[in-house]
Amino acid sequence: MFIQSPVTPVAGDFVYFHSKRPKIALMLHLNIMLTKEQYNVPTILVVFGATGDLMAKKIAPALFRLYKNKLLPKQFVIIGFSRRELTEETFREHTANILNTHNITKEESSIFLNSVQFEKGNFDDEQSFINLKKHIDNIEKDWGICTNKLYYLATPPESIPHIIENLKKTKLHEPCGGELGWSRIIVEKPFGSDEKSAKELEKSLNIFKEEQIYRIDHYFGKEMVEGILNFRFSNNLLEHRWNNAHIEKIELRLFETLGVEERGAFYDNVGALRDVGQNHLLEVLALIAMDRPEDFSAQSIRNAREEILSNIKSPDESEVSKKTFRAQYRGYENIKNIKENSQTETYFRAEFKIDHPRWIGVPITIEAGKRMGKVEKEAVIYFKHPHPCLSCPDDHGESTKVIFNIAPKESITIDYWAKKPGLKQVVEKRSFDFLLYKKKDDDQYVEEYAKLLLYAIAGDQTWFVSKKEVISLWKAVDPITRAWTNGEVPMQTYAPDTFDIAEVANEQMKSGAVKKNIGIIGLGKMGSGIAKQLLEKNWNVYGYNRTKDVTKEIEKDGLIGTYSLTELVERIPRPRNIWLMLPAGEATDTTLNELLPLLLPGDTVIDGSNSLYTTSQTRNELCKKYDVIYTDCGVSGGPAGARHGACLMVGGEESVYHRLSPLFRDIAKDGAVAFFNGAGAGHFAKMVHNGIEYGMMQSIAEGFDVLKRSEYEFDLTEVARIYNTGSVIESRLTNWLLKAFKEWGSDLKDVSAKVAHTGEGAWTIETAKKMGTEVPAIKSALDFRIKSEEKPSFAGKILSALRGQFGGHKIK
């Protein structure tokens, strides 16, 4: 049993304690004072997952620090719960070895280890929890009191529901009642992976009341982070100017020299934004932006933080490509347990707004990265220049700044302008630099976890995340992660151990020039139109055409011209997306056969040709042999649509469609893109579309042929106009016919009566025949075109005129 001497104040332990009881004052500066009644309460700490990394790196050394500084209750036991085949003795030896890695000798830890006990069990086994309850009951019997119980979930998130269910079954979660015998639970981040999973996690915790749940974000244990609250609300230095009238912008960053190292399996499913942006940085932002709380109680402070977090607005769909940036350091893909062609960011930058009267109009930027070449963890508040600005530099230079330095040092810096000594009225930048304190050691996380464990034992939730905060945090970042998953922001790369990527992100986001990459093979009427449209929408377009002059011409519009398939492939950043805009049949197949050996697994080919759907299925199987992704896309709207907004019918896999959706949206007219599941489905939909088009055009042609042959002298241009103005047959086709009459005259004198056809109508007819159904209108339309070679007619002229209008086909 671990017995400790009565608690005494310990200078230099840097722990604040906030109590709801007025008689226990908020600790001033560096000492901690807790009353004997408040502090010395018998407590049992059960650590689920006690043989894992969290126990080794953070919990065990943090508990020892509290013991060493005499900040644990007099009656205190740690029960390690794990499925490992250990005895109490071997678990103590295991814990001693952990502490030894933190430069704590076995002689130093020997008395502390008397408080360490062990219970073997599985999280999903009720009997294991029955055994745990007996273990706890024996301690309480020995102490002669119902103890306080603190359950630490140092486990993967998927284990939590099992643990909670078995705590419920064995009633281990129920407090004894009265002043003693409370039951609390500590939950580690990540609190889910998005809003939906966070709500599911919270639902699993519902056997505990909110005041029993302690959600740890270790940044809330950092002196500087806690100090933000006191800097703002324990002084009256700048708080009256802490608003949008005086503050220009706020930036928060978290740069590390560390990489992912051995955390590949975890990190690749999370990424920088969810690992540190969604929690650490946004919670620091909440402290910077929150209104003054009603008092310094935990509830008031958490409410003030949550109010800000609930009003954070992430970039909307139209802004996400300009307001966010992501990148991955080169070499990340070689780390153990990283998925092939991983799209996980190791650096990000994102701009938010706060929809709150105090902060409307103030841009908020957060960024974080691994392998950045330096440690820089800070929050910077930029003040606006005064107007008029007396004796300011000509360019006004940098504005006054308040910098909360979290690492590598913990300090507050105020940058300001002061007169330079001398006869001239010249100013120079100066700094007030307040070092909060120097750390005793660099044992990462230990100090923070020691404080947070102390707070949990003492029942102070101030520096723990509330349920409302968790949901608001996910609401802030979910729109960004969804957009990234859909490929709306291209993944950039950067050289590890450099700071360059942050400068690139800053410049690109300032100019709104974050670009996406696409290769286009085939720069004819359709391909060139798509290329020019994407160039106008801030894409890097790499183009290849067999006729070099065509490529050179479009280079004037910003195209990155290439003059071989090899050059095209080498120049496009990975993973590559390449759009084929070639004539159906042999040209597409020949090019695809030449292209595939040049591509790498994970690259994508989008086939925009007018192809028979069975051919698309064959191409899909061919691409699979190279581990290349194939997507078929029917394109309707002709050259004008390609240039200014087409109609797209996309087939293939839904996940690929969502990833490429920014590309499709930027090519299509608003709302004119749809996905149909299965290889060839997009081309099938386009095939039927073209068959219907044959029939509709034929009806228009036949109708106007009747009008021309009638006894009335109809002005066919006027008929086309009235048909296209509010009538049932108003359509793009009748509008195109109206344009044709205006361009070539109502008699279409110079337009050919022989109507060309390209096969799509025949495909629809043959497919319908195989299905055992008939399409007489479409068949009749195709037959008319074939016969027009021998029997030209005015109806044929109309068909040729329509083809000339929407497809740019030859009509003479």
Side-chain angles (χ1 to χ4, degrees):
M1 203 67 61
F2 174 40
I3 305 297
Q4 191 182 59
S5 61
V7 178
T8 56
V10 181
D13 200 71
F14 321 132
V15 178
Y16 294 102
F17 176 71
H18 306 278
S19 173
K20 294 181 181 178
R21 299 188 182 188
K23 68 178 181 179
I24 304 176
L26 174 67
M27 279 307 304
L28 295 177
H29 213 43
L30 300 180
N31 292 326
I32 183 165
M33 305 230 2
L34 302 169
T35 66
K36 184 176 180 180
E37 177 189 8
Q38 167 73 24
Y39 195 73
N40 282 324
V41 288
T43 301
I44 297 173
L45 170 65
V46 181
V47 181
F48 293 102
T51 53
D53 282 351
L54 193 62
M55 180 70 167
K57 294 178 179 178
K58 302 171 185 177
I59 300 172
L63 287 168
F64 180 80
R65 175 171 290 198
L66 292 176
Y67 155 74
K68 185 178 179 180
N69 286 283
K70 300 180 180 180
L71 290 169
L72 289 176
K74 291 171 64 177
Q75 293 174 290
F76 187 77
V77 164
I78 304 160
I79 300 177
F81 187 101
S82 171
R83 64 183 179 183
R84 292 265 296 271
E85 293 288 345
L86 297 174
T87 64
E88 195 160 284
E89 183 179 348
T90 56
F91 180 65
R92 284 178 179 172
E93 182 67 22
H94 170 77
T95 306
N97 291 334
I98 287 172
L99 296 175
N100 194 46
T101 65
H102 293 267
N103 300 315
I104 300 165
T105 66
K106 290 185 178 181
E107 289 74 18
E108 289 179 288
S109 63
S110 58
I111 298 176
F112 168 77
L113 290 171
N114 290 334
S115 67
V116 176
Q117 301 181 17
F118 185 73
E119 184 67 49
K120 180 185 178 300
N122 293 318
F123 302 144
D124 57 357
D125 176 35
E126 184 180 353
Q127 184 59 49
S128 297
F129 284 75
I130 292 171
N131 296 339
L132 174 63
K133 188 175 190 310
K134 290 178 181 177
H135 192 150
I136 291 172
D137 288 345
N138 287 336
I139 295 172
E140 291 182 326
K141 184 177 180 182
D142 185 39
W143 287 355
I145 194 169
C146 178
T147 64
N148 295 336
K149 301 169 192 69
L150 186 59
Y151 302 113
Y152 201 129
L153 305 187
T155 66
E158 58 269 20
S159 301
I160 293 176
H162 299 298
I163 296 172
I164 300 299
E165 180 63 24
N166 283 312
L167 288 174
K168 180 180 180 180
K169 287 179 179 178
T170 52
K171 298 184 179 181
L172 279 168
H173 68 296
E174 294 181 357
C176 304
E179 290 293 320
L180 297 178
W182 50 249
S183 176
R184 296 175 187 145
I185 190 164
I186 298 177
V187 185
E188 275 280 345
K189 82 171 188 73
F191 310 120
S193 57
D194 54 19
E195 183 184 354
K196 180 181 178 182
S197 59
K199 287 180 176 178
E200 290 172 355
L201 173 63
E202 292 299 334
K203 187 176 180 180
S204 72
L205 296 173
N206 64 9
I207 67 168
F208 292 94
K209 296 178 181 179
E210 177 64 15
E211 56 264 32
Q212 293 176 280
I213 303 172
Y214 289 68
R215 302 172 191 83
I216 277 194
D217 180 337
H218 76 87
Y219 255 57
F220 275 162
K222 290 184 177 293
E223 275 296 329
M224 188 66 259
V225 173
E226 293 183 355
I228 292 171
L229 202 64
N230 296 94
F231 176 85
R232 290 191 57 201
F233 302 123
S234 299
N235 304 290
N236 195 25
L237 181 63
L238 291 171
E239 190 59 26
H240 62 294
R241 291 180 175 268
W242 210 258
N243 53 53
N244 54 6
H246 302 283
I247 291 176
E248 181 181 4
K249 62 181 178 180
I250 298 173
E251 294 180 349
L252 300 94
R253 59 185 55 91
L254 197 164
F255 293 160
E256 302 176 273
T257 54
L258 296 173
V260 174
E261 280 82 42
E262 302 301 319
R263 299 174 68 220
F266 164 77
Y267 196 88
D268 204 41
N269 290 314
V270 179
L273 177 60
R274 288 189 287 191
D275 186 38
V276 298
Q278 179 267 350
N279 35 74
H280 301 337
L281 290 177
L282 289 183
E283 284 287 14
V284 172
L285 173 62
L287 292 171
I288 290 170
M290 62 187 265
D291 284 341
R292 177 182 290 275
E294 293 181 7
D295 50 44
F296 258 45
S297 68
Q299 191 61 51
S300 293
I301 292 171
R302 282 166 32 129
N303 285 347
R305 290 198 311 252
E306 201 286 319
E307 182 187 6
I308 286 298
L309 293 175
S310 66
N311 284 292
I312 291 178
K313 302 300 177 186
S314 59
D316 63 28
E317 190 175 280
S318 65
E319 296 178 316
V320 73
S321 64
K322 298 178 182 179
K323 300 295 185 182
T324 70
F325 182 99
R326 60 178 180 148
Q328 184 185 98
Y329 66 77
R330 290 192 281 278
Y332 173 83
E333 68 277 7
N334 299 322
I335 296 171
K336 184 180 178 181
N337 296 320
I338 300 300
K339 295 186 288 291
E340 188 175 8
N341 301 312
S342 170
Q343 290 293 292
T344 299
E345 79 286 352
T346 57
Y347 168 86
F348 78 90
R349 183 179 174 95
E351 185 176 307
F352 295 86
K353 295 177 181 177
I354 302 178
D355 189 12
H356 183 282
R358 180 191 283 262
W359 299 111
I360 288 174
V362 178
I364 315 288
T365 302
I366 67 171
E367 62 180 331
K370 290 191 169 294
R371 298 289 297 272
M372 295 295 288
K374 63 178 178 180
V375 173
E376 187 172 281
K377 303 177 183 181
E378 62 184 16
V380 186
I381 293 83
Y382 294 81
F383 283 80
K384 296 177 180 179
H385 285 288
H387 294 284
C389 187
L390 302 179
S391 301
C392 288
D394 292 339
D395 61 356
H396 277 201
E398 285 190 343
S399 61
T400 301
K401 294 185 293 187
V402 174
I403 306 169
F404 296 104
N405 302 291
I406 300 170
K409 63 179 181 179
E410 296 193 75
S411 64
I412 301 172
T413 301
I414 300 178
D415 286 347
Y416 67 101
W417 292 98
K419 182 183 178 298
K420 189 175 182 179
L423 300 176
K424 294 183 180 180
Q425 191 66 31
V426 179
V427 295
E428 62 181 353
K429 192 171 77 168
R430 295 286 187 89
S431 294
F432 285 128
D433 203 346
F434 307 98
L435 181 65
L436 190 62
Y437 79 108
K438 291 183 179 179
K439 281 191 173 185
K440 293 179 180 179
D441 57 59
D442 293 321
D443 202 349
Q444 195 176 27
Y445 306 121
V446 173
E447 180 181 303
E448 291 95 317
Y449 270 80
K451 287 201 287 183
L452 293 170
L453 280 165
L454 182 64
Y455 297 158
I457 293 169
D460 181 3
Q461 287 187 308
T462 302
W463 298 108
F464 293 86
V465 184
S466 71
K467 176 181 177 179
K468 289 181 179 180
E469 286 177 273
V470 169
I471 302 306
S472 293
L473 288 164
W474 283 121
K475 284 183 176 179
V477 302
D478 278 356
I480 296 174
T481 56
R482 282 195 297 269
W484 288 358
T485 300
N486 293 339
E488 295 188 29
V489 177
M491 180 68 75
Q492 309 290 339
T493 62
Y494 62 100
D497 308 320
T498 67
F499 186 69
D500 296 348
I501 193 65
E503 296 174 0
V504 171
N506 184 39
E507 289 303 314
Q508 289 197 11
M509 285 178 63
K510 279 198 298 186
S511 65
V514 180
K515 293 198 173 185
K516 295 158 276 190
N517 304 298
I518 183 68
I520 298 179
I521 299 176
L523 299 171
K525 289 177 292 187
M526 297 292 289
S528 63
I530 289 173
K532 290 175 182 178
Q533 187 180 183
L534 290 174
L535 286 166
E536 291 174 353
K537 294 179 179 177
N538 208 36
W539 285 73
N540 285 321
V541 182
Y542 301 78
Y544 168 72
N545 198 76
R546 291 190 185 276
T547 306
K548 294 181 180 180
D549 290 345
V550 173
T551 305
K552 288 185 178 295
E553 183 63 28
I554 308 175
E555 283 180 340
K556 297 174 184 177
D557 297 298
L559 180 81
I560 303 169
T562 62
Y563 294 92
S564 69
L565 291 178
T566 300
E567 183 187 1
L568 176 80
V569 170
E570 287 177 349
R571 296 194 68 179
I572 302 173
R574 291 193 63 204
R576 305 176 186 93
N577 298 313
I578 298 178
W579 187 292
L580 301 182
M581 206 69 221
L582 296 162
E586 186 176 342
T588 298
D589 288 321
T590 299
T591 302
L592 187 60
N593 282 312
E594 292 177 17
L595 178 66
L596 285 173
L598 303 174
L599 299 179
L600 293 174
D603 291 344
T604 301
V605 170
I606 306 114
D607 183 359
S609 65
N610 269 333
S611 296
L612 180 60
Y613 73 98
T614 53
T615 303
S616 307
Q617 293 171 344
T618 302
R619 291 171 185 163
N620 179 57
E621 292 304 314
L622 177 63
C623 287
K624 282 183 178 179
K625 293 179 181 179
Y626 292 87
D627 290 326
V628 169
I629 300 162
Y630 175 87
T631 291
D632 52 291
C633 180
V635 183
S636 180
R643 182 66 183 85
H644 302 292
C647 172
L648 304 183
M649 292 150 260
V650 184
E653 297 180 10
E654 187 170 9
S655 61
V656 178
Y657 166 74
H658 286 306
R659 176 170 61 81
L660 296 173
S661 60
L663 172 66
F664 296 135
R665 281 203 303 270
D666 280 350
I667 294 173
K669 189 177 179 180
D670 287 347
V673 57
F675 170 73
F676 306 101
N677 192 48
H683 282 160
F684 191 100
K686 179 59 165 51
M687 175 190 73
V688 175
H689 161 281
N690 285 9
I692 294 169
E693 175 189 299
Y694 271 50
M696 292 174 68
M697 289 171 63
Q698 186 67 26
S699 294
I700 291 171
E702 290 174 0
F704 274 82
D705 188 37
V706 172
L707 287 165
K708 187 172 179 61
R709 293 172 185 270
S710 76
E711 61 184 276
Y712 302 102
E713 294 183 1
F714 283 108
D715 179 345
L716 296 185
T717 303
E718 182 63 8
V719 174
R721 186 196 67 78
I722 196 63
Y723 281 180
N724 200 51
T725 310
S727 80
V728 172
I729 62 170
E730 179 182 4
S731 66
R732 297 184 78 188
L733 285 170
T734 51
N735 186 54
W736 275 320
L737 181 58
L738 176 60
K739 288 182 177 180
F741 284 148
K742 289 180 178 179
E743 186 172 349
W744 297 306
S746 294
D747 59 356
L748 301 176
K749 181 180 179 181
D750 295 326
V751 176
S752 173
K754 297 178 181 179
V755 191
H757 53 95
T758 53
E760 296 95 328
W763 296 341
T764 308
I765 295 163
E766 288 299 318
T767 301
K769 186 177 180 181
K770 290 177 183 178
M771 293 176 173
T773 189
E774 295 182 356
V775 283
I778 297 171
K779 186 176 185 307
S780 175
L782 176 61
D783 290 342
F784 179 90
R785 294 190 183 197
I786 295 170
K787 291 174 183 177
S788 70
E789 290 287 328
E790 300 175 357
K791 295 182 179 181
S793 66
F794 184 70
K797 285 177 174 284
I798 290 177
L799 291 172
S800 294
L802 286 170
R803 295 184 80 248
Q805 284 292 317
F806 68 72
H809 301 291
K810 292 181 180 180
I811 64 167
K812 294 185 179 181

